[in-house]
Amino acid sequence: MGIMWQIIIRVAAQRIYDEMQDYYSKEVTKTTDLRTNACLTTARPLPAFVREALQCVHEEISAKYYGCGLMIPECLENCWILDLGSGSGRDCYMLSKLVGEKGHVTGIDMTEAQVEVAKKYIDYHMNKFNYQNPNVNFILGYIEELGAAGLKGENYNLVISNCVVNLSPNKRAVLREAYRVLKTGGEMYFSDVYASHDLPEEIRKHRILWGECLGGALWWEDLYKIAEDVGFLPPRLVTASQITIGNKELESVLGDCQFVSATFRLFKIPQDDSSQRCEVIYNGGITGHEKELEFDVNYKFKQGEVVEVDKETAAILQNSRFATKFLIRPVEQMLPVSESCSPEKDKIQNPFKAVEQMEARVPKQTASGCCGSKGCC
């Protein structure tokens, strides 16, 4: 790539950075300032331990929160976590309690006003959690340039992000950097907005739509391509929900473009791994998932139940933080399983198809915000 072309790309990216910093520091300072429902999701019951953690978060932090999901990966004790685009720090403080004093949470955000709000309440939360030493810190920087912010490679068990990747002008760089800072066996667990097809320039250049997490949304198929290009195993869809806009003026600009909020998990697993199809038994015991672990839309593990999994899933379970939670054996060493448990069944990858299937099974819930303290607790 020529130097002139690199300069053009950098200038365009800086324009987006400047507009988003302005948007999130001046125009959107609390949840009620949002102009669409993209950061409002259908209310879902939360486990008691998560509700308890959220209730500990200071009200100013919760009031300044906006996102398209709730970042609660399983098996968090003692983990080191990096939150990309941490904003006011709500998810960081919630996770600070869940990982425990021996774990650690780092938040990085490009908006100075948000970082300052987050930093202001470190002592408040450490006292609330009865921690002797802080297990959370916040950094000002760009999620595409984690190295420039001082973040070393192979340092985190988990990288999370809540409705932020879509705001980046260089999503490939975000995933590449996330891959770099993750330890082998680590995971990127993130919620974001995805489009039903590649968006036209009119939408991509619309300042408000970009700020509302719509203009920069990836076509969901592109996520699969980028993730595998940078080294991750194929994305695994955890959950998805339809996004309604709730703004007639912006709906007219969007036309027939559809959007979903979806949570995916990406794993950094050794490339030379020689895993094979296996049958696994979940031992149980993960906080909040003692009897059943819903790993993604394709795999649900009940305590003590034999489930056949494909090579990819076996590799993840054997090489990640979940390894001690399962009994794992090659398929030929165990009894055959029923057809309904076969890993050869069609897997759901398309979040729009997942939404259709879920809506067909479950009565519609009343849409409400997951962005404010009342909506979450």
Side-chain angles (χ1 to χ4, degrees), residues 48-219:
F49 76 101
V50 174
R51 292 199 302 272
E52 178 187 344
L54 283 169
Q55 287 165 359
C56 291
V57 178
H58 193 280
E59 60 182 11
E60 183 181 359
I61 297 292
S62 293
K64 293 179 180 295
Y65 164 81
Y66 18 84
C68 58
L70 193 56
M71 296 298 93
I72 320 172
E74 316 86 357
C75 207
L76 294 175
E77 291 84 357
N78 301 326
C79 281
W80 277 57
I81 301 177
L82 173 64
D83 184 3
L84 303 179
S86 52
S88 65
R90 193 206 70 164
D91 288 356
C92 286
Y93 285 122
M94 174 188 65
L95 291 166
S96 167
K97 179 171 175 58
L98 299 182
V99 300
E101 195 167 6
K102 293 182 180 179
H104 192 275
V105 183
T106 297
I108 182 169
D109 200 278
M110 68 176 183
T111 306
E112 187 172 4
Q114 291 277 56
V115 173
E116 290 306 311
V117 170
K119 285 182 175 179
K120 186 167 69 170
Y121 292 101
I122 291 179
D123 289 343
Y124 169 88
H125 291 95
M126 297 306 102
N127 291 331
K128 193 88 170 176
F129 303 155
N130 293 316
Y131 290 170
Q132 295 300 311
N133 298 299
N135 73 339
V136 62
N137 69 304
F138 297 95
I139 299 171
L140 182 67
Y142 296 110
I143 62 176
E144 303 89 349
E145 302 173 4
L146 301 180
L151 298 180
K152 300 177 181 178
E154 300 273 335
N155 200 43
Y156 294 95
N157 306 107
L158 275 158
V159 172
I160 68 166
S161 175
N162 194 343
C163 206
V164 169
V165 176
N166 68 82
L167 295 174
S168 171
N170 190 346
K171 297 165 179 61
R172 183 178 297 272
V174 175
L175 268 63
R176 185 170 58 241
E177 279 292 87
Y179 187 88
R180 181 183 66 81
V181 301
L182 279 171
K183 296 179 180 180
T184 300
E187 175 187 7
M188 182 175 183
Y189 186 100
F190 67 115
S191 188
D192 220 291
V193 176
Y194 296 92
S196 55
H197 54 266
D198 201 17
L199 298 177
E201 282 298 302
E202 178 188 9
I203 293 176
R204 292 203 175 278
K205 291 183 177 180
H206 197 289
R207 178 176 171 275
I208 294 175
L209 287 175
W210 194 286
E212 295 285 322
C213 302
L214 298 169
L218 267 180
W219 178 29

Side-chain angles (χ1 to χ4, degrees), residues 27-62:
E27 297 187 39
V28 179
T29 59
K30 56 187 181 301
T31 303
T32 52
D33 293 332
L34 294 165
R35 303 189 192 185
T36 72
N37 294 328
C39 287
L40 298 176
T41 58
T42 302
R44 299 177 64 187
L46 297 175
F49 76 101
V50 174
R51 292 199 302 272
E52 178 187 344
L54 283 169
Q55 287 165 359
C56 291
V57 178
H58 193 280
E59 60 182 11
E60 183 181 359
I61 297 292
S62 293

